């Protein structure tokens, strides 16, 4: 049985100039110890879909889904009170900007202890003991002293470790990491990703890693979802995705990796930008930027086609049969 | 933190000299002969004039007069009232508790109502409640409070007969002065009904004096909260599964308070200006009424002394607010060494 | 057809059409707020009332109808027909309030003009020269700010003598620091930008840089401050008038009207109620407009 099962999730924002569809028909299946990666450009709806799952979107967002179940609970109809019992405990999330994600007015110890008190009802001494364990677990030196530190006294990498400690405080079944390393120094990025993967193995939890860094995906994930303009365009296991991307967008993304274009003089790019609220094309959303575009692409909307390895959303996927 | 406080005190020094220079200049810039203006006597003989001039120190060079003046101020000598012949400081201290009492209750009213409705408006942003609260607070902010006071007297005292028109307490009670704060003194005296009478007299003046600070605090709390609510750490707090009360009332409010405390501190000046009008309307025997009376009776030493004392009190309050700001803001309190 | 309107602007008027474009854009943002438009409409109404006071006021504000002392408001009565009643001397309250708009608007306008002109010069000078000139100007402004505005105004009026003109001067002095600070800080922000350096390189003189290159880019916050000061100046003029330190009777200044009828407030409440309502509505209208202006001019606030 899946831990998390989502069918046809859509999110629309009401704006002054009409409604804008940020997430469009996303399906997701996550099992107990999965490591799933969601990749895509900025504005492709990766974060929004996960925030929708957490119930953290502003009231201007309209979330619809055919199915959205976590551990047998229907998240569409759940009351706010019941949802607050799950989020922060069974599902937790860490964010892109660790420095601003911690409250500047409270100590590290207070902010970790708060989760422990809220969900596990631990007393003062137990909270302190557990907080020190957690900080130790995420690799923070001198954890007992660090409890009294305020966020402005920590570096970005340290702050993200504290965020991770807070997120795993109640042994979640699912941890969502929203671009956890993007805002950090390059040297720290790998440490944070390694830490997350280690913790996942150790704790046996599911991990959703949102990123726009294909390198991170290649090193960590098992399953990969590629998103474009709010839609899922491809889903595969990581090895086959890198070897044989079916969707032209995935193909173009991979070609844009510097490691893959060492033989070229110029790094390939994808011309154009992700369509915004006002300029969504009528057919396939990627058609205007696609190098394999054909006439029918801009007339009909392609559906998600399942294959034995995953799924893709394209009329004319890249065909590898001739290559053997 | 210590350096922060020292820095704030250092900033006050030039302002202190500026204020003393203004109050010193005030007496010299009065129209007509300063000796006549200050002595409050008419038809002086030339001898009397020369005698007064020497007594007032007006025969010395201006810079020396100023130094003498500041020297005296630093030794607690704020001059002597021409009208009562008593030291200005004594008169001021006698009347000041009445103004503090009114100012504190007005401020409490403004904070106790203003902060929660500001938070409420921010959380319910864009709704009917938000627009209603902001509309009302704009009316409060635009209110001519001297008229507001008279209007309340017409309604509550004149038409409905619910509240007294003026004064601090009914003339039936004779409460011995201990602290000068009537609410405390009436309790200490144990006289039956005295406390209730004092409270009764405070209702309208408190509302009138509190209206503008209330409106300002509500507006500023709302905008501070709106700014904080869009911060990442508020999302983190919600992602922890905390209740809205804890997210807004603790995580957001604690940060918004850093701004709100400053706004509240700045209202002390508004309160003093408001006290001049409110005390005049309600015949409240405090500093505001005294200043107006001194201006009209040409007791210029009293006006001068009052000006300096009020400026110093406001400076002191601002210093306290700055320190509070440092205490509530961990980025200043815990500067990493 | 309407599309041709833009095309039909002659090429020589490009400059004015750019100004027109920005005005149209400003109006688009300003008119998004209904309350701001209501405030503006009300203010226009008040200004028209002040301009046409001679025509629309039903009576001469100074004439005392001895047979109609303290007459309550009546509509269409045969004898003593006064819509807002009469005061202690039998003068028509409505006419006095209509004429009073002139005094309040002139007072508010004068204060704003004085503050803008002097404040901008001081602020630009402080921002341009920096160093001790800056320090001296800013410490003087700090000193003025350290005393509550109304108290400072009272002291100044005590020196200058009571009267509407002196009240205006006194109020202007107490508001000056806000304008100086605002001008100085936005001047300093602007002065580090590239276009200023470009202008210096091109050989522009001191005054050209100060007042023609940089100043226009500092105007938006100053306009907002001017609007808000306009309303508070009306309030403070009325407060000084009420305390007997502003306009002197028989001038029908709104605060003075309240003061001279204060003894009648319980027996003839209309004599106090209507002038105060006039102050409240005028100030409220200007503040509503000021809020709209701030949202329309300040790009940082626009999004919220």
């Amino acid at each position: 049985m899946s831990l998390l099962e989502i069918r046809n999730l859509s999110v629309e924002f009401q704006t002054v100039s009409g409604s804008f569809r940020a997430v469009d028909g996303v399906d997701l299946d996550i099992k107990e110890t999965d490591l799933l990666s969601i990749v895509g450009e900025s504005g492709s709806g990766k974060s929004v879909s996960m925030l929708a799952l957490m119930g953290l979107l502003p009231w201007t967002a309209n979330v619809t889904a055919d199915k959205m179940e976590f551990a047998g609970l229907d998240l569409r109809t759940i009351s706010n009170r019941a949802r607050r019992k799950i989020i922060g405990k069974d599902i937790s999330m860490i964010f892109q900007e660790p420095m601003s994600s911690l409250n500047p007015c409270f100590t590290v110890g207070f902010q970790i202890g708060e989760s422990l008190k809220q969900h596990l009802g631990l007393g003062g001494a137990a909270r302190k003991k557990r907080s020190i364990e957690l900080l130790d677990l995420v690799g923070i030196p001198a954890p007992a002293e660090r409890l009294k530190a305020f966020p402005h006294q920590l570096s970005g990498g340290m702050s993200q470790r504290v965020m991770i400690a807070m997120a795993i405080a109640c042994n979640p079944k699912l941890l969502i990491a929203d671009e956890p390393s993007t805002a950090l120094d390059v040297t720290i990025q790998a440490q944070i990703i390694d830490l997350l993967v280690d913790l996942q193995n150790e704790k046996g939890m599911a991990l959703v890693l949102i990123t726009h860094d294909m390198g991170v995906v290649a090193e960590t994930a098992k399953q990969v979802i590629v998103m474009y303009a709010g839609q899922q365009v491809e889903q595969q296991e990581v090895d086959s995705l890198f070897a044989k991307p079916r969707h032209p967008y995935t193909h173009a993304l991979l070609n844009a990796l510097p490691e893959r274009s060492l033989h070229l003089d110029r790094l390939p790019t994808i011309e154009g930008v992700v369509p915004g609220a006002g300029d969504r094309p009528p057919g396939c959303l990627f058609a205007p930027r696609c190098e394999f575009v054909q006439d029918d692409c801009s007339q009909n909307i392609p559906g998600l086609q399942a294959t034995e390895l995953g799924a893709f959303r394209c009329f004319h996927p890249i065909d590898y049969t001739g290559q053997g | 933190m210590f350096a922060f406080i020292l820095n704030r005190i250092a900033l006050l020094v030039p302002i202190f000299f500026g204020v003393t220079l203004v109050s010193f200049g005030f007496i010299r810039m009065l129209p007509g002969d300063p000796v006549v203006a200050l002595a409050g006597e008419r038809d002086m003989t030339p001898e009397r004039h020369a005698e007064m001039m020497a007594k007032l120190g007006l025969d010395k060079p201006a810079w020396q007069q100023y130094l003498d003046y500041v020297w005296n101020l630093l030794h607690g000598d704020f001059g002597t009232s021409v009208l009562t012949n008593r030291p200005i400081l004594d008169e001021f201290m006698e009347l000041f508790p009445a103004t503090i009492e009114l100012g504190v209750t007005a401020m409490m009213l403004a904070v106790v109502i203003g902060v929660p409705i500001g938070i409420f408006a921010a959380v319910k942003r864009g709704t009917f409640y938000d627009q209603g609260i902001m509309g009302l607070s704009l009316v409060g902010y635009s209110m001519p409070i001297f008229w507001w006071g008279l209007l309340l007297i017409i309604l509550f005292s004149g038409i409905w007969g619910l509240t007294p028109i003026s004064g601090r307490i009914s003339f039936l009670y004779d409460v011995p002065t201990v602290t000068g704060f009537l609410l405390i003194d009436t309790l200490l005296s144990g006289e039956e009904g005295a406390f209730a009478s004092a409270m009764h007299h405070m209702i309208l003046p408190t509302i009138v004096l509190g209206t503008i600070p209330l409106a300002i605090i509500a507006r500023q709390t709302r905008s501070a909260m709106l700014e904080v609510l869009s911060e990442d750490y508020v999302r983190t707090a919600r992602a922890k599964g905390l209740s809205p009360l804890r997210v807004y009332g603790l995580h957001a409010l604690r940060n918004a308070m850093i701004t709100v405390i400053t706004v509240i501190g700045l209202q002390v000046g508004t309160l003093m200006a408001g006290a001049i009008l409110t005390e005049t309307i309600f015949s409240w025997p405090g500093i505001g009424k005294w200043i107006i009376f001194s201006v009209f009776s040409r007791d210029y030493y009293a006006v001068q002394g009052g000006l300096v004392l009020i400026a110093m009190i406001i400076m002191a309050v601002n210093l306290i607010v700055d320190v509070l700001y440092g205490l509530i803001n961990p980025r200043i309190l815990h500067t990493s060494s | 057809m309407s599309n041709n309107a833009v095309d039909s602007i002659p090429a020589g008027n490009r400059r004015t059409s750019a100004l027109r474009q920005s005005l149209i854009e400003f109006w688009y943002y300003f008119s998004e707020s209904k309350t701001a438009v209501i405030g503006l409409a009300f203010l226009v109404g008040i200004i028209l009332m002040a301009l046409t006071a001679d025509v629309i006021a039903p009576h001469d504000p100074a004439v005392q109808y001895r047979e109609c002392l303290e007459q309550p408001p009546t509509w269409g009565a045969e004898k003593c027909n006064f819509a807002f009643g009469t005061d202690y001397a039998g003068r028509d309250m409505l006419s006095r309030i209509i004429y009073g708009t002139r005094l309040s608007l002139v007072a508010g306008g004068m204060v704003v003009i004085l503050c803008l002109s002097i404040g901008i010069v001081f602020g630009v000078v402080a921002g341009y020269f920096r160093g001790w000139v800056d320090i001296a100007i800013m410490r003087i402004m700090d000193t003025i700010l350290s005393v509550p505005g109304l108290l400072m105004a009272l002291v100044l009026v005590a020196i200058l003598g009571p009267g509407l003109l002196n009240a205006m001067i006194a109020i202007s002095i107490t508001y000056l620091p806000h304008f100086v600070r605002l001008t100085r800080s936005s001047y300093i922000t602007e002065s580090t930008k590239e276009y200023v350096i470009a202008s210096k390189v091109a050989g522009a003189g001191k005054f050209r840089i100060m007042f023609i290159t940089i100043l226009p880019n500092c105007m938006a916050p100053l306009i907002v401050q001017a609007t808000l000061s306009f309303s508070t100046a009306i309030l403070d003029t009325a407060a000084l008038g009420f305390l007997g330190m502003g306009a002197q009777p028989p001038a029908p200044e709104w605060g003075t009207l309240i003061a001279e009828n204060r003894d009648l407030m319980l027996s003839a409440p209309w004599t106090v109620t209507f002038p105060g309502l006039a102050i409240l509505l005028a100030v409220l209208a200007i503040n509503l407009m000021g809020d709209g202006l701030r949202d329309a001019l300040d790009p940082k606030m626009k999004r919220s």
Side-chain angles (χ1 to χ4, degrees), chain A residues 55-56 84 87-88 95 97 100-105 110-111 114-115 118-119 150 152-153 166, chain B residues 125 232-233 235-236 238-244 246 250-251 254-255 258 328 330-331 334 336:
Chain A
L56 290 179
R84 288 200 299 270
I87 69 167
F95 304 99
E97 298 284 346
S100 58
S101 292
L102 289 170
N103 194 323
C105 282
F110 177 89
Q111 296 189 55
E114 197 176 28
S115 290
Q118 176 82 12
H119 296 292
F150 281 91
H152 70 274
Q153 295 162 323
M166 236 157 69
Chain B
R125 172 189 184 181
D232 287 345
Y233 53 76
R235 185 181 57 190
T236 308
R238 290 174 61 208
K240 280 185 189 174
L242 302 176
S243 67
R246 210 170 156 86
L250 188 74
H251 282 264
R254 181 67 212 281
N255 285 278
I258 295 173
I328 199 173
R331 268 169 279 208
H334 304 276
S336 44

Side-chain angles (χ1 to χ4, degrees), chain A residues 217-218 221-224 236-245 260:
Chain A
V217 176
K222 291 166 193 148
Q223 276 286 326
V224 183
Q236 280 208 57
E237 278 190 17
V238 66
D239 294 339
S240 59
L241 182 95
F242 274 76
K244 292 178 178 177
R260 292 194 164 209

Side-chain angles (χ1 to χ4, degrees), chain B residues 144 147, chain C residues 84 93 97 253-255 257-258 261 269-280:
Chain B
W147 173 72
Chain C
F84 283 10
M93 285 308 296
I97 290 171
E253 196 275 320
W254 290 338
L257 288 185
I258 297 177
N261 291 305
W270 58 90
T271 57
V272 169
T273 312
F274 289 121
L277 205 56
I279 303 173
L280 175 63

Side-chain angles (χ1 to χ4, degrees), chain C residues 130-177:
Chain C
R130 308 301 298 268
W132 65 267
V133 178
D134 183 23
I135 292 172
I137 291 178
M138 294 323 287
R139 287 305 145 274
I140 294 171
M141 296 304 138
D142 285 349
T143 304
I144 298 175
L145 274 184
S146 70
V147 179
L150 189 62
L151 179 60
M152 188 56 117
L154 268 176
V155 169
L156 290 167
V157 172
I159 297 172
L160 300 167
L164 187 58
L165 182 68
N166 290 343
M168 284 191 261
I169 296 171
I171 292 169
S172 304
I173 293 175
T174 61
Y175 290 2
L176 197 56

Side-chain angles (χ1 to χ4, degrees), chain B residues 7-20 315, chain C residues 139:
Chain B
N7 183 23
R8 293 291 137 148
I9 292 174
L11 282 176
L12 290 180
V13 174
I15 298 178
F16 172 78
F17 281 102
V19 169
T20 53
M315 277 192 267
Chain C
R139 287 305 145 274

